[in-house]
Amino acid sequence: MSVLIFVEIDNGTIKKTSLEAIAYGAKIAEKTGGNATVLALGAADATELEKAGFYGANRVLHASDAKLAHENSLAYADVLAQAAAKEDSKIIILAKSGLGDAVAARAAAKLKAGIVSGVTELPEINGAFTVTRSIYTGKAFATAEIKSDVKILVIKKNAIEVDESQLSTSTAIVEAFAAALRDSDFTATVGQVEKASSELSLTEADIIVSGGRGMKGPEHWQPLLDLASALGAATGCSKPVSDLDWRPHHEHIGQTGIKVAPNIYIACGISGAIQHLAGVNGSKCIVVINKDPEAPFFKAADYGIVGDVFEILPKLTQAAKNLK
Amino acid sequence: MKILVCITNVPDTTAKISFTDNDTKLNKNGIQYIIGPYDDYALARGVELKEQFGGAVTVLHVGGAEADPQIRKALAIGADDAIRVNCDPLDSYFVASQIAHIARENSYDLILMGRESIDFNSGVVHGLVGEMLGIPSYSPVMKLDIEGSTATIAREIDGGKETLSAPLPLVLGCQEPISEWKIPNMRGIMTARTKPLLVVEPVSVDDMTVPEKYSLPAPKGACKMIPASEAETLIKLLQTEAKVL
Ligand SMILES: Cc1cc2nc3c(=O)[nH]c(=O)nc-3n(C[C@H](O)[C@H](O)[C@H](O)COP(=O)(O)OP(=O)(O)OC[C@H]3O[C@@H](n4cnc5c(N)ncnc54)[C@H](O)[C@@H]3O)c2cc1C
Ligand SMILES: Nc1ncnc2c1ncn2[C@@H]1O[C@H](COP(=O)(O)O)[C@@H](O)[C@H]1O
């Protein structure tokens, strides 16, 4: 029996949220007395995949068929189900993302597995297997028992605390995994792919600097970008900002946009409407900069500064630069 | 074109969430229910495609009679008929099994859903249904056009977007800007009253997950205010006090 962890690969390396999933799966394996096995698909260097060992994995199954190089949730789910059957895995872990949810869902239907998405902490395993997940867009939690033989957990960022200074020193053994690919998973023709590859992805970012209508216009974004670059942060925005095309749509955070869970979320000139808060309430620490002391965002914040963003941002950028 | 649109009946985004019965049930007191906002986009695009190509839009909800006003609203927006699977669904697997059952009986060209429900936020029902039916599923879809029996979609991927074309039938999880939400007009509201709403009993499904209890997050501590004149001290506080930097 092994715990199987599906990882996402970006530019040949395992994504950070997937490293968390490995640590999470390894903790369960430790409890249940099995191995932690990773499944990686597509192009990746063995030396990168070995690093799964630092997070507690024993082995990495690598399906490197060229057809798997492009993100394809249908084929990925197929390979995941094959690996689970071969390894006799009863517990499958994925990191929450559009791809993670899609792969998990299709694999669940194949394996007749109970699936819980949005898990926020380690499961309780004593006879019953119970998990807690986030519901109502972060406003509450639900605890449920998974009864099925095979269990699939899609975990949220920060579901487990990974101490980077306490990692294991042993690497994982990388083995080739020969998957049977079905033509029916490749009926779609992929056209254009627009991906800002140099940008830090919002769902992965530890720090996000985000701007609202208070930033006044796209031509005023530089101070925000400067702070983001000084902090090594990703940038986000409120919905009206992307609706107005001040910033690209994929930066839009909130109930109808992306949900993020960074360590630090810095909101600049965002009022803090409930629909925006729905996308950020998983953040560890929220900083709000707004000239209106009555802005609702302050109620959800850990640190607040009342003032003009254009005066405050350069000061923060300078202080961030001085840190280094 | 036969289109199925699956809608949820969820508390309005601004609803204050609390629980009763020893934290085993949502306190529905004072909560206003709405069609899931993403489902609303799916519905709007479904109705547009029907207007473009002819055919029919069926709305489907898996749940109790309390959703009927929202189902009627979907009919007023332009769906032709509705099906409600009468039950108190336990989890995504159960819901997906019901949707797949209805879909097998009626063979739709397109099954449109929201990218996620805003009560359980799972984002998995479309994938489950797609696999149960043995057809592709894609989400989140921001643009959808049909030509003949091929759909061209633009969907969001991590840090960008991708376009792809795929043969029908498909299951799609929708989000803006696929369409604009539609508001029912007077004529729509009048005709919705007489449009068919079929209530059926669920097919049986093994219990995959069983809910135990609900809880609320720990209350947020007070916000620490930093004078604008000392803004730069924030960075130190993030490092030494909050220990997040
Ligand atoms: C169904 C639905 C879904 C929605 N989904 C989302 C979503 O996913 N994400 C989202 O963000 N919104 C969403 N919204 C919109 C949301 O309700 C708000 O309208 C939106 O978040 C407001 O954006 P904002 O804070 O940038 O703008 P505003 O509300 O206009 O706020 C601007 C803020 O900037 C401050 N400000 C102005 N100038 C300065 C300055 N010089 N220095 C400092 N501060 C300044 C102002 O005091 C104000 O608080 C949704 C709405 C609905 C109805
Ligand atoms: N009870 C339900 N009845 C009908 N459709 C549903 C139901 N639950 C979920 N869906 C559909 O599946 C989508 C994704 O839901 P979820 O996987 O719960 O996030 C929703 O946006 C709906 O379109």
Side-chain angles (χ1 to χ4, degrees):
Chain A
M1 220 270 291
S2 72
V3 176
L4 187 61
I5 303 122
F6 173 92
V7 297
E8 290 185 40
I9 304 287
D10 189 27
N11 272 324
T13 61
I14 303 174
K15 279 195 187 177
K16 215 169 136 228
T17 42
S18 289
L19 292 173
E20 264 181 37
I22 298 173
Y24 184 98
K27 264 271 173 330
I28 298 178
E30 212 176 280
K31 263 198 202 174
T32 56
N35 279 325
T37 305
V38 164
L39 175 67
L41 308 182
D45 257 2
T47 49
E48 283 299 326
L49 297 179
E50 276 173 11
K51 292 182 184 163
F54 304 159
Y55 295 83
N58 311 90
R59 291 158 65 225
V60 178
L61 306 178
H62 184 203
S64 59
D65 193 306
K67 284 176 95 178
L68 297 172
H70 183 78
E71 190 177 305
N72 178 335
S73 56
L74 282 64
Y76 286 12
D78 229 350
V79 179
L80 176 58
Q82 289 171 36
K86 179 152 176 281
E87 296 292 313
D88 192 27
S89 308
K90 302 297 182 200
I91 301 170
I92 300 173
I93 310 294
L94 303 91
K96 192 161 174 72
S97 72
L99 179 66
D101 276 329
V103 172
R106 295 198 69 111
K110 285 174 198 281
L111 298 165
K112 302 226 175 329
I115 174 171
V116 178
S117 178
V119 174
T120 52
E121 52 194 73
L122 281 163
E124 280 197 37
I125 314 169
N126 35 30
F129 188 104
T130 57
V131 288
T132 297
R133 69 177 156 149
S134 162
I135 57 169
Y136 296 112
T137 327
K139 284 195 252 180
F141 298 99
T143 305
E145 181 187 349
I146 311 186
K147 294 220 160 200
S148 52
D149 182 34
V150 181
K151 304 168 177 66
I152 301 186
L153 276 58
V154 188
I155 66 165
K156 278 187 81 159
K157 191 160 178 279
N158 297 332
I160 186 170
E161 199 76 45
V162 180
D163 185 347
E164 295 280 337
S165 66
Q166 299 282 315
L167 297 181
S168 156
T169 49
S170 44
T171 53
I173 300 160
V174 181
E175 298 166 25
F177 184 74
L181 302 182
R182 300 189 309 175
D183 289 343
S184 58
D185 290 337
F186 296 89
T187 54
T189 321
V190 178
Q192 228 176 332
V193 180
E194 291 166 35
K195 203 165 175 172
S197 59
S198 57
E199 265 174 53
L200 201 54
S201 108
L202 277 171
T203 45
E204 297 258 294
D206 282 332
I207 308 177
I208 294 171
V209 186
S210 191
R213 215 147 43 179
M215 292 295 297
K216 303 281 190 279
E219 67 280 19
H220 301 305
W221 232 258
Q222 200 54 45
L224 189 156
L225 300 178
D226 289 343
L227 177 61
S229 105
L231 290 169
T235 55
C237 66
S238 67
K239 178 168 147 62
V241 164
S242 70
D243 287 348
L244 291 163
D245 273 333
W246 292 2
R247 299 295 297 170
H249 184 269
H250 67 255
E251 279 197 2
H252 152 205
I253 292 172
Q255 187 212 320
T256 47
I258 296 180
K259 300 189 182 61
V260 297
N263 291 338
I264 309 175
Y265 186 80
I266 305 180
C268 312
I270 304 178
S271 59
I274 188 130
Q275 294 90 356
H276 187 80
L277 297 183
V280 305
N281 54 20
S283 311
K284 274 196 196 149
C285 179
I286 294 179
V287 177
V288 170
I289 307 166
N290 197 304
K291 67 174 185 191
D292 173 10
E294 302 295 320
F297 219 146
F298 286 117
K299 288 202 179 66
D302 299 283
Y303 293 96
I305 306 176
V306 176
D308 181 355
V309 272
F310 299 105
E311 278 166 30
I312 289 157
L313 280 171
K315 287 191 192 174
L316 298 182
T317 304
Q318 196 50 52
K321 281 185 181 157
N322 291 346
L323 269 186
K324 284 160 195 161
Chain B
M1 177 148 17
K2 278 179 78 174
I3 303 172
L4 182 70
V5 179
C6 303
I7 62 167
T8 53
N9 176 45
V10 291
D12 166 42
T13 337
T14 57
K16 203 168 153 44
I17 300 296
S18 65
F19 300 100
T20 62
D21 291 35
N22 230 343
D23 287 336
T24 57
K25 286 207 166 59
L26 176 71
N27 179 2
K28 296 187 176 171
N29 236 330
I31 288 192
Q32 196 193 336
Y33 278 83
I34 57 169
I35 298 174
Y38 298 105
D39 313 344
D40 235 345
Y41 288 119
L43 176 65
R45 190 64 191 134
V47 168
E48 286 166 5
L49 289 172
K50 179 196 74 170
E51 283 165 359
Q52 194 181 345
F53 297 107
V57 173
T58 300
V59 284
L60 171 59
H61 174 68
V62 181
E66 67 275 10
D68 286 352
Q70 276 61 254
I71 297 175
R72 288 282 171 214
K73 185 178 172 200
L75 291 169
I77 285 171
D80 299 275
D81 59 354
I83 304 172
R84 180 167 62 77
V85 180
N86 189 33
C87 61
D88 187 9
L90 281 184
D91 66 3
S92 322
Y93 202 99
F94 179 91
V95 170
S97 302
Q98 306 307 326
I99 296 174
H101 176 73
I102 301 281
R104 269 186 217 107
E105 293 198 322
N106 297 283
S107 56
Y108 300 96
D109 301 300
L110 262 182
I111 301 179
L112 302 180
M113 307 193 187
R115 154 211 187 129
E116 68 175 43
S117 57
I118 64 158
D119 49 0
F120 292 116
N121 313 111
S122 296
V124 299
V125 169
H126 19 79
L128 283 161
V129 170
E131 186 62 39
M132 286 171 181
L133 296 173
I135 60 175
S137 51
Y138 296 103
S139 180
V141 176
M142 307 190 309
K143 196 168 181 298
L144 165 65
D145 290 300
I146 306 285
E147 222 192 293
S149 59
T150 305
T152 305
I153 66 181
R155 66 183 195 107
E156 197 164 85
I157 52 174
D158 199 14
K161 68 176 177 187
E162 130 186 314
T163 55
L164 50 87
S165 52
L168 301 178
L170 293 172
V171 182
L172 304 175
C174 306
Q175 75 167 37
E176 63 148 16
I178 194 163
S179 181
E180 302 260 334
W181 286 330
K182 296 197 187 320
I183 298 160
N185 57 27
M186 208 50 212
R187 199 175 148 264
I189 294 168
M190 297 304 287
T191 53
R193 291 187 190 156
T194 55
K195 286 180 179 171
L197 192 177
L198 180 69
V199 178
V200 299
E201 290 307 308
V203 290
S204 85
V205 179
D206 288 344
D207 284 355
M208 293 291 186
T209 73
V210 180
E212 282 193 344
K213 64 172 173 35
Y214 298 104
S215 54
L216 294 171
K220 188 103 190 164
C223 175
K224 184 165 186 163
M225 299 307 289
I226 301 165
S229 55
E230 296 162 24
E232 61 283 351
T233 57
L234 169 76
I235 301 294
K236 263 265 133 40
L237 289 171
L238 290 175
Q239 196 177 32
T240 55
E241 189 180 77
K243 298 193 168 58
V244 283
L245 195 64

